[in-house]
Amino acid sequence: MRVRLDHVVIHVSDWTRSNAFYTEVLGAELIGEDPDGPARYRFGDQQLNTHGPGVDPHPVAAKQVQPGNSDLCFVWEGPI
């Protein structure tokens, strides 16, 4: 069975600072409509998703990622 990392989710507290750090410092591609709002960051084939102020993401894990934490999302064929 082939297993791959689909994306990682982090919680941010400031969209403007987060977007500046991930794009300007780490060179990520910013994916999202608002440069000062919720975003996804692309690093080649990998994606970093964000939760934070003013966002009610769907779908989410049973416990939404909290500040200072992250979650890893994998993809594979077949059942758990």
Side-chain angles (χ1 to χ4, degrees), residues 9 50-52 54-61 64-65:
V9 181
T50 56
H51 292 181
V55 174
D56 186 20
H58 293 284
V60 296
Q64 186 173 332
V65 66

Side-chain angles (χ1 to χ4, degrees), residues 18-47:
S18 176
N19 291 345
F21 175 76
Y22 285 100
T23 60
E24 296 170 17
V25 176
L26 298 183
E29 174 189 1
L30 177 63
I31 300 172
E33 297 177 12
D34 183 352
D36 296 319
R40 295 176 310 278
Y41 308 106
R42 295 288 300 175
F43 296 91
D45 293 336
Q46 301 301 310
Q47 184 162 301

